[in-house]
Amino acid sequence: MKRVAVFTSGGDAPGMNACIRAVVRGAVYHGVEVFGIRRGYNGMINGDIFQMTSHSVSNIVQRGGTILKSARSREFMTPEGRKKAYEQIQKFGIEGLVAIGGNGTFTGATIFFDEFGIPTVGAPGTIDNDLYGTDHTIGFDTAVNTALEAIDKIRDTADSHDRIFFIEVMGRDSGYIAIQSGIAGGAELVMVPEVLTPISEVVETLKQGWDRQKSSSIIVVAEGDEEGNATEVAEKISRQIGTEIDMRVTTLGHIQRGGIPTAYDRILASRLGLGALEGLLHGQKNVMAGVVNNELVYTPFRDTIRLPKPINEDLLRMVKILSV
Amino acid sequence: MKRVAVFTSGGDAPGMNACIRAVVRGAVYHGVEVFGIRRGYNGMINGDIFQMTSHSVSNIVQRGGTILKSARSREFMTPEGRKKAYEQIQKFGIEGLVAIGGNGTFTGATIFFDEFGIPTVGAPGTIDNDLYGTDHTIGFDTAVNTALEAIDKIRDTADSHDRIFFIEVMGRDSGYIAIQSGIAGGAELVMVPEVLTPISEVVETLKQGWDRQKSSSIIVVAEGDEEGNATEVAEKISRQIGTEIDMRVTTLGHIQRGGIPTAYDRILASRLGLGALEGLLHGQKNVMAGVVNNELVYTPFRDTIRLPKPINEDLLRMVKILSV
Amino acid sequence: MKRVAVFTSGGDAPGMNACIRAVVRGAVYHGVEVFGIRRGYNGMINGDIFQMTSHSVSNIVQRGGTILKSARSREFMTPEGRKKAYEQIQKFGIEGLVAIGGNGTFTGATIFFDEFGIPTVGAPGTIDNDLYGTDHTIGFDTAVNTALEAIDKIRDTADSHDRIFFIEVMGRDSGYIAIQSGIAGGAELVMVPEVLTPISEVVETLKQGWDRQKSSSIIVVAEGDEEGNATEVAEKISRQIGTEIDMRVTTLGHIQRGGIPTAYDRILASRLGLGALEGLLHGQKNVMAGVVNNELVYTPFRDTIRLPKPINEDLLRMVKILSV
Amino acid sequence: MKRVAVFTSGGDAPGMNACIRAVVRGAVYHGVEVFGIRRGYNGMINGDIFQMTSHSVSNIVQRGGTILKSARSREFMTPEGRKKAYEQIQKFGIEGLVAIGGNGTFTGATIFFDEFGIPTVGAPGTIDNDLYGTDHTIGFDTAVNTALEAIDKIRDTADSHDRIFFIEVMGRDSGYIAIQSGIAGGAELVMVPEVLTPISEVVETLKQGWDRQKSSSIIVVAEGDEEGNATEVAEKISRQIGTEIDMRVTTLGHIQRGGIPTAYDRILASRLGLGALEGLLHGQKNVMAGVVNNELVYTPFRDTIRLPKPINEDLLRMVKILSV
């Protein structure tokens, strides 16, 4: 393989730039030409493709976002769109792809291979950590620390006013950010989509806290919790315990997607970018590079797409013990 | 004066602890006994009052929130409440008060002096910077930097996706946080309560940006803007420019009240705490200590309460120039 | 076991407080009385021991340092010292210990058990990550991120002035901090005690960089590197390449020991604190709790003391590839 | 004036990029062509000059360092060097200059005007805050906060070990960083070049602390203190109080020059960049733009160079009171 390309797709995540850098520098090191594609599959369709050198990725390891920009592409979901993309790939003489993104991205890559035979190796870039085949995804550690910083700040004001705070963090189908930031932030309770926490249990926990003179409480809620989002949860509780209690809701929102990546994310992203590139050069296709138990592994896209990533229930148990 | 007390009241602000520390250490230095009152006027009413020493304020200069806790007190608004408070003040032999808070706090202190002759000197503790009589209030600089960090993070993701972001910051009647974080964050536009920005002007600015190939934009909105909060503003704009444009709203919320105070806030809080204490010892009453043009000044509560604090319109002009 | 005690010993590390909290809350949860011992073995000898409750560890999860303070104890190395310590342990009716520290601490605990039969379970608290039996030690992730923040700052000024910077990080016998912060910080070279990097190779790397128009370079040096510390390395290089090149040395020093612990360190510390406590309650002794491949494991002190922890040489290879 | 140029010179400082951005965007706004000169006077001599547009300064407001790079130029100190520089300035048709730097830079600009009539307006860019004519220089607030973060971290470890820490901060002739970071960091003592603090006074302060059971102490030393740098001060003290006391020295070094600029520095830099540019366009020459008492003012270079900037001794008094 003499010429490869790299792109980012789906939601952006801190560390994507470190990953791009590793792909590009890895290619330079191995004497392979490397191109960047802007805005994911959209750029592939439109030919927004340019050659990259070692210098193109100078001074980006510490930057959030993605210099290649990202997008979700409706057109690539159509045969016509993919045909156009293939024509561009051919035009540039690109023989293999590194795709940094999540399952939507990998699904597209699988179909693209079936239709046109262009192999892709993926790197898991999403803050949600909801991908099977890797212990952590690129951006997760940074997102957890961003959520944690916010929780630390809110604890200051919660303590000063004897308030209950409901803090909503990202994670539509996954409680990973909630559970990690909740434990680290000393939350009294964490509500995640994977395990139902009935409102009655929340009320019970709050009451036990008051019995122990705990005057302020923090409850971390994943946006996809079954009992609703943080605002809905707070309203349900308010109906049960009355309005004398001072309760506030805060939704962290998009700050969780940005920011300077942590050391962990930069190193993970570097390993995965290099791993994806070297896998591609060694003939891998339709697989995602991951790090499991500190080893680089490749998992077929069909498994990353199909298999669920279970949450560690030991951690939920720990929340309970640590908030006694 | 041989015995004074200090309390925090109203919304908490980063730097309040540095201010408490300066009051306490100043009192120790001047050989005056000093007491802390918990939860503002509520604690005064309930006698939640305790003696403080130099050691009571060790290792708090860097902490957000307030170790004395804060609250808004309905009971103190009644003559009965204030009578109870006075009885406690008498019981502890307290001859003067340092109140860290805002205009609500200072109004209470004024009435309390009229009724019972207990003098208070105030220190301006509020993130909103909306108090006449001081260039900056305690907590403002930290809140601006917190908002700015969030804007920096959101710019990462805005740039990666070519999005328009509306970021709502605190400031019900005051655009100070909005304008400072907006300039520092390189926002395309800042909307503040003091100056009406018509929706048509926002739309115009966005369109000019697109003409110059600016693909992402950040608009900072103070929560009290006349055109509505950030969500309402975004909806109005969406109606005018159509839905193809990817627009997102994020509300920073309570994280702006917490956090480790900046150097500026710790120094300002120390000066104001010491200034309030020394003013009280020298016979000042019903005044707020402030720093204007780097000089310590005392302004009567009736002025801090009555007089508006104008926003610097030069700064609004600067937003326009810097976003060309 | 009805009564246990916890202490911190050796160099402090961010996350120790989260670990103490987990031990205390775990004990409360399991209905066991728990005591704190101040200043490590010194406090044990002097009886600086006090009962802890759930409330004793409120609001400490986010604080650097250790509320129990730490020290190295010469007296505990003597039979007389240990005898005194045992008398205090007996006096307080303590049946088992959780020791948060490193190999010096564990060596003391082993001898103490041999002499008096008091069992200890350890938790690895040291920023150096040089303990066999756990993937990471408490404080390591925070120290790496602290070093990384410093490298990011120095890169700003290195780039602005076309300078070579030698940055010395902690790690007397271990290159873990150097290699992780070096990769994450985009360093051109990392020098660690485990692998000799000859000065000639450093010179070669710098020259290759100049050939590629790389005008500034960062070299991370572990304090225990064989070629000397950062100042010595810089001088050796200066002798070879002449003095026209602008070279600077900076030693990060003790800031690496402090700071707000990262999410990773707080979660790890919580798991290890709880794991050590529960191990002790289930009859473990003379072992260190660790997390290997995301599983809680117990490793005998004799192994943590005796066995080396190899550095991942793949990471050193990665530095080379990423700096092309 | 139809064509101006901007450059940075001397030591770099956080906020220089925000200042460059304000100059460039201000020029675009006023319809004036603007050029960037790389590496200060060296680039002027070598013709390293390029046209800048609004887009050239996108996404730099938050970055440390200077995109124009900086250098000290020996050649510009010679008549031949300045002649070459003038030829380049003429060649590019540049009619006026904005120089971001310190007194060395301004001295050069004054001579250059005398010889060739090219007017310069300066903006004060240096972390040391040692320039007469402005309350604060660009980069000072960031440097203070960087030093403060380091002090906060070191306090963690000082408290954990009952140690005395000597922390050396930047400021060869100026104690501004020392005094502000010292007050904000709760230091027991601050040693600055402007005021002699005899070693005997340091010893006295430490002893008084011990009498009050203060087990750890932090002393901030400006690098230019009369009693020597931090290491020398520590040695002198060690000779007087003996070696049982655990004392450590840490030198913060170059991290103080880098980092993401604070809100304060970005706003100040924006005001000064715009102020310098508009001053130049309105016919100002050989003056530095500054902000004094929140007003934009212009001070002749001869005054910024000649007049000392006194330190606020009230702040030194405050250190003493706050550390009782």
Side-chain angles (χ1 to χ4, degrees):
Chain A
M1 205 168 279
K2 286 289 159 217
R3 194 174 274 193
V4 299
V6 57
F7 63 100
T8 49
S9 172
D12 65 311
M16 280 186 163
N17 281 328
C19 191
I20 294 166
R21 173 176 175 264
V23 174
V24 171
R25 297 257 163 110
V28 170
Y29 181 85
H30 289 295
V32 172
E33 285 189 298
V34 59
F35 285 72
I37 303 171
R38 287 200 194 86
R39 294 185 179 78
Y41 290 119
N42 282 340
M44 208 184 282
I45 290 169
N46 304 326
D48 196 352
I49 300 174
F50 64 107
Q51 187 154 12
M52 299 185 82
T53 65
S54 180
H55 194 71
S56 319
V57 292
S58 283
N59 213 8
I60 66 165
V61 72
Q62 79 282 16
R63 288 207 222 148
T66 157
I67 58 165
L68 293 179
K69 301 201 176 223
S70 189
R72 288 185 170 81
S73 173
R74 283 191 204 143
E75 202 177 350
F76 195 77
M77 293 182 199
T78 66
E80 297 73 32
R82 290 191 296 274
K83 181 119 192 300
K84 282 192 209 165
Y86 176 63
E87 287 163 4
Q88 293 292 343
I89 292 299
Q90 265 200 313
K91 183 176 134 196
F92 282 90
I94 292 162
E95 300 165 71
L97 300 166
V98 173
I100 307 168
N103 274 330
T105 310
F106 302 157
T107 302
T110 307
I111 299 172
F112 196 58
F113 177 77
D114 290 345
E115 292 176 351
F116 302 103
I118 300 292
T120 297
V121 176
T126 162
I127 62 167
D128 287 346
N129 200 32
D130 55 358
L131 281 170
Y132 179 87
T134 192
D135 286 343
H136 295 116
T137 53
I138 297 165
F140 171 65
D141 188 60
T142 305
V144 168
N145 278 288
T146 299
L148 178 57
E149 267 182 57
I151 294 173
D152 281 351
K153 288 191 168 90
I154 287 170
R155 196 197 298 105
D156 286 344
T157 188
D159 280 349
S160 297
H161 288 281
D162 299 342
R163 273 176 188 158
I164 302 172
F165 260 97
F166 294 85
I167 303 177
E168 185 176 312
V169 299
M170 282 194 167
R172 211 168 297 276
D173 311 301
S174 163
Y176 270 95
I177 294 178
I179 202 163
Q180 299 237 0
S181 64
I183 290 176
E188 269 66 28
L189 211 70
V190 176
M191 301 176 75
V192 294
E194 288 90 345
V195 181
L196 178 69
T197 311
I199 290 295
S200 58
E201 191 183 322
V202 183
V203 171
E204 195 50 42
T205 302
L206 290 173
K207 285 187 176 162
Q208 283 170 13
W210 296 326
D211 292 349
R212 290 195 313 274
Q213 253 73 53
K214 196 170 263 200
S215 57
S216 66
S217 293
I218 284 176
I219 296 171
V220 176
V221 185
E223 58 181 338
D225 187 74
E226 271 196 41
E227 285 285 0
N229 68 20
T231 307
E232 290 157 1
V233 167
E235 275 163 13
K236 285 181 187 173
I237 287 168
S238 183
R239 255 174 265 136
Q240 292 203 19
I241 60 172
T243 55
E244 296 104 81
I245 306 300
D246 190 355
M247 294 198 307
R248 302 289 166 110
V249 176
T250 203
T251 302
L252 298 188
H254 282 83
I255 56 168
Q256 295 164 85
R257 290 208 176 282
I260 296 171
T262 59
Y264 189 97
D265 268 334
R266 298 192 206 176
I267 296 167
L268 178 66
S270 300
R271 291 181 76 178
L272 293 177
L274 190 57
L277 182 273
E278 294 188 335
L280 185 66
L281 297 183
H282 287 95
Q284 294 275 10
K285 60 177 74 87
N286 295 332
V287 295
M288 182 189 87
V291 169
V292 173
N293 290 343
N294 207 25
E295 295 289 330
L296 188 72
V297 295
Y298 298 97
T299 304
F301 285 157
R302 66 170 176 277
D303 289 346
T304 70
I305 292 165
R306 200 175 37 110
L307 297 178
K309 183 169 185 171
I311 204 155
N312 186 339
E313 296 207 17
D314 274 8
L315 293 181
L316 281 175
R317 170 182 171 262
M318 208 156 79
V319 177
K320 251 176 232 168
I321 295 179
L322 295 180
S323 68
V324 296
Chain B
M1 206 168 281
K2 285 288 159 219
R3 194 174 275 194
V4 301
V6 57
F7 64 98
T8 50
S9 173
D12 64 313
M16 281 186 163
N17 281 326
C19 190
I20 294 167
R21 172 175 175 266
V23 174
V24 170
R25 296 258 165 109
V28 170
Y29 180 84
H30 289 295
V32 172
E33 284 188 300
V34 59
F35 285 71
I37 303 172
R38 287 200 193 86
R39 294 184 178 76
Y41 290 120
N42 282 341
M44 209 184 282
I45 290 169
N46 304 326
D48 194 353
I49 299 173
F50 64 104
Q51 187 153 12
M52 298 184 83
T53 65
S54 179
H55 194 72
S56 318
V57 292
S58 284
N59 212 8
I60 66 165
V61 73
Q62 79 280 19
R63 288 207 221 149
T66 157
I67 61 165
L68 293 179
K69 301 199 175 223
S70 189
R72 288 185 171 81
S73 173
R74 282 190 205 142
E75 202 177 348
F76 196 77
M77 295 183 198
T78 68
E80 297 74 31
R82 291 191 295 273
K83 179 119 193 302
K84 280 191 208 165
Y86 176 62
E87 287 163 5
Q88 293 292 342
I89 291 299
Q90 265 203 312
K91 184 176 133 193
F92 282 90
I94 292 162
E95 299 165 71
L97 300 167
V98 173
I100 308 167
N103 275 330
T105 310
F106 301 157
T107 303
T110 307
I111 300 172
F112 195 58
F113 177 78
D114 290 345
E115 291 177 351
F116 301 104
I118 300 292
T120 297
V121 177
T126 161
I127 61 166
D128 286 347
N129 199 33
D130 54 358
L131 281 169
Y132 179 87
T134 192
D135 286 342
H136 295 116
T137 53
I138 298 165
F140 171 65
D141 188 61
T142 305
V144 169
N145 278 288
T146 299
L148 178 57
E149 266 182 58
I151 293 173
D152 281 352
K153 288 192 168 90
I154 287 169
R155 197 198 297 104
D156 285 344
T157 188
D159 280 350
S160 298
H161 288 281
D162 298 341
R163 273 177 186 157
I164 301 172
F165 260 97
F166 294 85
I167 303 178
E168 184 175 312
V169 300
M170 282 192 167
R172 210 167 298 275
D173 312 301
S174 163
Y176 269 95
I177 295 178
I179 202 162
Q180 299 238 0
S181 63
I183 289 176
E188 269 66 29
L189 211 70
V190 176
M191 302 176 74
V192 296
E194 289 89 345
V195 181
L196 178 68
T197 311
I199 291 295
S200 58
E201 191 183 323
V202 183
V203 171
E204 196 48 43
T205 302
L206 289 173
K207 285 186 176 162
Q208 284 170 13
W210 296 326
D211 291 347
R212 289 194 315 276
Q213 254 72 53
K214 198 170 260 200
S215 57
S216 66
S217 293
I218 284 176
I219 295 171
V220 175
V221 185
E223 58 182 337
D225 187 75
E226 270 196 42
E227 285 285 1
N229 67 21
T231 308
E232 290 157 2
V233 168
E235 275 163 13
K236 286 181 188 174
I237 287 168
S238 183
R239 254 174 266 136
Q240 294 203 18
I241 59 172
T243 54
E244 295 103 82
I245 306 300
D246 190 356
M247 294 199 307
R248 302 288 166 109
V249 176
T250 202
T251 302
L252 297 187
H254 282 83
I255 57 168
Q256 294 165 86
R257 289 208 177 282
I260 297 170
T262 59
Y264 189 99
D265 269 334
R266 298 191 206 177
I267 295 167
L268 178 67
S270 300
R271 291 181 76 178
L272 292 178
L274 190 57
L277 184 270
E278 294 188 335
L280 186 67
L281 297 183
H282 287 96
Q284 295 273 11
K285 60 177 73 87
N286 296 333
V287 295
M288 183 189 85
V291 170
V292 174
N293 290 343
N294 207 24
E295 294 290 329
L296 189 71
V297 296
Y298 298 96
T299 303
F301 284 156
R302 67 172 175 277
D303 289 346
T304 70
I305 293 164
R306 199 173 39 108
L307 298 178
K309 182 170 187 171
I311 204 155
N312 187 340
E313 296 207 17
D314 274 7
L315 293 181
L316 280 176
R317 169 183 171 264
M318 206 156 78
V319 176
K320 249 174 236 170
I321 296 178
L322 295 181
S323 66
V324 297
Chain C
M1 207 170 277
K2 286 286 159 222
R3 195 173 275 192
V4 300
V6 58
F7 64 98
T8 49
S9 172
D12 66 312
M16 280 186 163
N17 281 326
C19 191
I20 294 167
R21 173 176 174 265
V23 173
V24 171
R25 296 257 164 111
V28 170
Y29 181 85
H30 289 295
V32 172
E33 285 189 298
V34 59
F35 286 72
I37 302 171
R38 286 200 194 85
R39 293 184 179 77
Y41 290 119
N42 282 342
M44 207 184 283
I45 290 169
N46 305 326
D48 195 353
I49 299 173
F50 64 106
Q51 187 154 12
M52 299 184 83
T53 65
S54 179
H55 194 73
S56 318
V57 290
S58 284
N59 213 8
I60 66 166
V61 73
Q62 79 280 18
R63 288 207 223 148
T66 157
I67 60 165
L68 293 179
K69 301 197 175 226
S70 189
R72 289 187 169 79
S73 173
R74 284 190 204 145
E75 201 177 350
F76 195 77
M77 295 182 198
T78 67
E80 298 72 32
R82 290 191 296 274
K83 179 118 195 302
K84 282 191 208 164
Y86 176 63
E87 287 163 5
Q88 293 292 342
I89 292 299
Q90 264 201 315
K91 184 177 135 194
F92 282 90
I94 291 162
E95 300 165 71
L97 301 166
V98 173
I100 307 168
N103 274 330
T105 311
F106 303 157
T107 302
T110 307
I111 300 172
F112 196 57
F113 176 78
D114 290 344
E115 292 177 352
F116 300 105
I118 301 292
T120 297
V121 177
T126 162
I127 61 166
D128 286 347
N129 199 33
D130 56 357
L131 281 169
Y132 179 88
T134 192
D135 286 342
H136 297 114
T137 53
I138 298 166
F140 172 64
D141 187 62
T142 305
V144 169
N145 277 287
T146 298
L148 178 57
E149 267 182 58
I151 294 173
D152 281 351
K153 288 192 167 91
I154 287 168
R155 197 197 298 103
D156 286 345
T157 189
D159 280 350
S160 298
H161 288 280
D162 300 341
R163 271 176 188 158
I164 302 173
F165 261 98
F166 294 85
I167 304 177
E168 183 176 312
V169 301
M170 282 193 165
R172 211 166 298 273
D173 312 301
S174 163
Y176 270 96
I177 294 177
I179 201 163
Q180 298 239 358
S181 63
I183 290 177
E188 269 65 29
L189 210 70
V190 176
M191 301 176 75
V192 297
E194 289 90 343
V195 181
L196 178 68
T197 310
I199 291 295
S200 58
E201 190 182 324
V202 183
V203 171
E204 195 50 43
T205 301
L206 289 173
K207 285 187 176 162
Q208 283 171 12
W210 296 326
D211 291 347
R212 289 196 312 275
Q213 252 75 52
K214 197 169 260 198
S215 57
S216 66
S217 294
I218 286 177
I219 295 171
V220 175
V221 184
E223 59 182 335
D225 186 75
E226 270 195 43
E227 284 285 2
N229 68 20
T231 308
E232 290 157 2
V233 168
E235 275 161 13
K236 286 181 188 175
I237 288 168
S238 183
R239 255 173 266 137
Q240 295 204 17
I241 61 173
T243 54
E244 296 103 82
I245 306 300
D246 191 354
M247 294 199 305
R248 302 289 165 109
V249 175
T250 202
T251 302
L252 298 188
H254 282 84
I255 57 168
Q256 296 165 84
R257 291 208 175 280
I260 298 172
T262 59
Y264 189 97
D265 268 334
R266 298 192 207 176
I267 295 167
L268 178 67
S270 300
R271 290 180 78 178
L272 292 177
L274 189 58
L277 183 271
E278 294 187 336
L280 186 67
L281 297 184
H282 286 96
Q284 295 274 11
K285 61 177 72 87
N286 295 333
V287 294
M288 182 189 86
V291 170
V292 174
N293 289 345
N294 207 24
E295 295 288 330
L296 188 73
V297 296
Y298 298 97
T299 303
F301 285 156
R302 69 171 172 276
D303 289 347
T304 70
I305 293 164
R306 199 174 38 109
L307 297 177
K309 183 171 188 170
I311 204 155
N312 186 340
E313 297 206 17
D314 274 7
L315 294 181
L316 280 176
R317 170 182 170 264
M318 207 155 78
V319 176
K320 250 174 235 172
I321 296 179
L322 295 180
S323 67
V324 295
Chain D
M1 206 167 278
K2 286 287 161 220
R3 195 174 274 192
V4 300
V6 58
F7 64 98
T8 49
S9 172
D12 63 313
M16 279 187 164
N17 282 327
C19 190
I20 294 167
R21 173 176 174 265
V23 173
V24 171
R25 296 258 164 110
V28 170
Y29 181 83
H30 289 295
V32 171
E33 284 189 298
V34 59
F35 286 72
I37 302 171
R38 288 200 192 86
R39 292 184 180 78
Y41 291 119
N42 281 340
M44 207 183 283
I45 291 169
N46 304 325
D48 195 353
I49 300 174
F50 63 106
Q51 187 153 12
M52 299 184 83
T53 65
S54 180
H55 194 71
S56 317
V57 291
S58 284
N59 212 9
I60 68 165
V61 73
Q62 78 282 15
R63 288 206 223 150
T66 156
I67 60 165
L68 293 179
K69 300 199 175 224
S70 189
R72 287 185 171 81
S73 172
R74 283 190 205 144
E75 202 177 349
F76 196 78
M77 294 183 198
T78 67
E80 298 73 31
R82 291 193 294 274
K83 179 121 194 299
K84 281 192 209 165
Y86 175 63
E87 287 162 5
Q88 293 293 341
I89 291 299
Q90 263 201 315
K91 182 176 135 196
F92 283 90
I94 292 163
E95 301 166 69
L97 299 167
V98 173
I100 308 168
N103 274 330
T105 310
F106 303 157
T107 302
T110 306
I111 300 172
F112 196 58
F113 176 79
D114 291 344
E115 292 177 350
F116 301 104
I118 301 291
T120 297
V121 177
T126 160
I127 62 167
D128 286 346
N129 199 33
D130 55 358
L131 281 168
Y132 178 87
T134 191
D135 286 342
H136 295 115
T137 53
I138 298 166
F140 172 64
D141 188 61
T142 306
V144 170
N145 278 288
T146 299
L148 179 57
E149 266 181 58
I151 295 173
D152 282 352
K153 288 192 169 88
I154 286 169
R155 196 195 301 103
D156 286 343
T157 189
D159 281 349
S160 299
H161 287 281
D162 299 341
R163 272 177 187 157
I164 302 173
F165 261 98
F166 294 84
I167 303 177
E168 183 176 312
V169 300
M170 282 193 167
R172 210 166 299 274
D173 312 300
S174 163
Y176 270 95
I177 294 178
I179 202 163
Q180 298 238 359
S181 63
I183 289 176
E188 269 65 28
L189 211 69
V190 176
M191 301 177 75
V192 296
E194 289 89 344
V195 182
L196 178 69
T197 310
I199 291 294
S200 58
E201 191 182 323
V202 183
V203 171
E204 195 50 42
T205 302
L206 290 173
K207 284 188 176 160
Q208 283 170 14
W210 296 326
D211 291 348
R212 290 194 314 275
Q213 253 73 55
K214 198 169 258 199
S215 57
S216 66
S217 294
I218 284 176
I219 295 171
V220 175
V221 185
E223 56 181 338
D225 188 74
E226 269 196 44
E227 284 285 2
N229 67 21
T231 308
E232 290 158 2
V233 168
E235 273 162 16
K236 286 183 187 174
I237 287 168
S238 183
R239 255 174 265 135
Q240 294 204 16
I241 60 173
T243 55
E244 295 103 81
I245 306 299
D246 190 355
M247 294 199 307
R248 302 289 165 110
V249 176
T250 202
T251 302
L252 298 188
H254 281 84
I255 57 168
Q256 294 165 86
R257 290 210 176 279
I260 298 171
T262 59
Y264 189 97
D265 268 333
R266 298 192 207 176
I267 295 167
L268 178 66
S270 299
R271 290 181 77 178
L272 293 177
L274 190 57
L277 182 272
E278 295 187 336
L280 186 66
L281 297 184
H282 287 95
Q284 295 273 9
K285 61 178 70 88
N286 295 334
V287 295
M288 182 189 85
V291 170
V292 174
N293 290 345
N294 206 25
E295 295 288 330
L296 188 72
V297 296
Y298 298 97
T299 304
F301 285 157
R302 66 171 175 275
D303 289 347
T304 70
I305 292 165
R306 198 174 39 109
L307 298 178
K309 183 171 187 171
I311 203 154
N312 187 338
E313 295 206 18
D314 274 7
L315 293 181
L316 279 176
R317 170 182 171 264
M318 207 156 78
V319 176
K320 250 175 234 172
I321 296 179
L322 295 180
S323 67
V324 295

